[in-house]
Amino acid sequence: MKSYIVGNWKLNFTVGEASIYLHKLLRKLPNYRDVDVIIAPSLLALQPLSLQVDRHKLKLAAQNAFYRDYGAFTGETSFTQLNGIVDYCIIGHSERRYIFREDDKMVAKKVAAAIRNKIRPILCIGETESERAFGETADVIRDQLLGGLSEIGAEDVSKVLIAYEPVWAISSVKAAKLATPSEVADVVKLIRKILTEVYGKKTAEETPVLFGGSVNPSNAGAYLTVPGVNGLLAGGSSLILSEFADIIDTAKRVRS
Ligand code: 13P
């Protein structure tokens, strides 16, 4: 399976800054066949960047979209409108779940809307610090994983990239801690076990599972060599071109 390196820029960079970053990154990046590089800029930058990007080297992701295709939904953008502009969309990021109150039902509708519009969802799941402390990690992972996939058919599950992002390991969270590779391994194993039980071995093996949470050039190699991890989702590090390029290089090295 390919590796996936995703940069989630969150609410950072003006359109001009995003364009300059992309220009520099494209110059630096060889065409890696076995590593898919994906950046998720803010919505406003997506359309101009889609005209600038070399899709052989890099793909674009939206950070969010609404699940209805058209209609009276002031302020929203649909997957239908994003079709042709992005190849991926991050869905269910913990910042959307906890700041914008998105629940598994909403996440599931968005995953279905993405698939309907030929955009691959990057479905984020992960427990909070207190859920982990109370021993609820496995239940949270099961609920968010199966909840998020509940509106699509089994044949579409392997089009979804699952991103395990423990909320307590995200750099912007107060007192964020690094997840150890063995903590990541346990949850990734659980994700594949659940996928196998519900959708069968083939689908479980073909569904990419990514890790995210304070990923940087010094820990990327360790996370990428965790059994079952097919890629990384970087936030803060993806804003620094040299760091993001290092993470991509590491993915290339780990694969060869
Ligand atoms: P950091 O890499 O800044 O911890 O962010 C992770 C994240 O939320 C990516 O989606």
Side-chain angles (χ1 to χ4, degrees):
M1 193 190 296
K2 279 186 182 186
S3 297
Y4 298 86
I5 300 297
V6 187
N8 176 9
W9 289 358
K10 308 191 180 182
L11 210 175
N12 293 289
F13 293 155
T14 62
V15 175
E17 288 164 345
S19 171
I20 292 168
Y21 180 116
L22 180 63
H23 176 74
K24 290 184 181 162
L25 181 62
L26 287 174
R27 262 206 334 220
K28 235 173 149 51
L29 272 187
N31 183 359
Y32 288 148
R33 287 240 161 117
D34 42 7
V35 181
D36 261 16
V37 181
I38 302 161
I39 54 167
S42 72
L43 178 68
L44 207 54
L46 284 175
Q47 208 273 338
L49 295 196
S50 76
L51 302 176
Q52 184 187 340
V53 77
D54 173 352
R55 282 190 156 89
H56 295 293
K57 290 189 177 180
L58 187 142
K59 304 260 195 319
L60 293 175
Q63 296 176 16
N64 177 43
F66 190 55
Y67 60 82
R68 293 286 291 270
D69 292 342
Y70 299 99
F73 304 102
T74 302
E76 293 298 323
T77 304
S78 70
F79 290 93
T80 307
Q81 292 169 320
L82 287 169
N83 176 293
I85 295 177
V86 301
D87 290 293
Y88 296 86
C89 183
I90 298 173
I91 300 177
H93 192 280
S94 58
E95 285 146 22
R96 299 229 45 102
R97 290 179 190 266
Y98 299 109
I99 304 172
F100 300 100
R101 303 264 165 250
E102 289 192 11
D103 59 12
D104 287 328
K105 266 197 180 143
M106 162 89 72
V107 170
K109 286 182 183 169
K110 291 186 174 193
V111 168
I115 295 284
R116 184 167 75 236
N117 285 286
K118 314 240 173 314
I119 291 171
R120 287 188 77 179
I122 302 170
L123 170 62
C124 298
I125 60 175
E127 79 287 3
T128 62
E129 187 174 24
S130 69
E131 287 164 345
R132 176 163 279 259
F134 284 106
E136 295 166 2
T137 301
D139 289 341
V140 172
I141 293 299
R142 177 175 288 271
D143 288 352
Q144 292 186 355
L145 178 63
L146 296 181
L149 297 174
S150 62
E151 299 272 334
I152 60 169
E155 69 284 4
D156 287 325
V157 167
S158 62
K159 295 176 188 153
V160 181
L161 283 67
I162 309 296
Y164 171 51
E165 292 211 308
V167 181
W168 48 271
I170 293 179
S171 68
S172 56
V173 172
K174 220 165 56 190
K177 292 192 274 275
L178 279 185
T180 65
S182 92
E183 285 168 331
V184 177
D186 287 347
V187 176
V188 170
K189 208 165 135 193
L190 173 69
I191 291 170
R192 294 223 189 262
K193 182 167 174 273
I194 298 168
L195 289 175
T196 305
E197 280 166 14
V198 180
Y199 299 104
K201 193 162 176 273
K202 185 168 181 290
T203 299
E205 281 171 2
E206 287 173 354
T207 306
V209 180
L210 278 49
F211 170 73
S214 300
V215 167
N216 62 40
S218 23
N219 60 29
Y223 290 134
L224 282 166
T225 43
V226 168
V229 168
N230 307 112
L232 301 172
L233 182 46
S237 239
S238 74
L239 297 173
I240 303 160
L241 183 69
S242 58
E243 292 198 6
F244 192 53
D246 268 4
I247 294 172
I248 298 165
D249 267 354
T250 305
K252 177 68 190 164
R253 266 202 317 278
V254 165
R255 284 206 51 107
S256 48

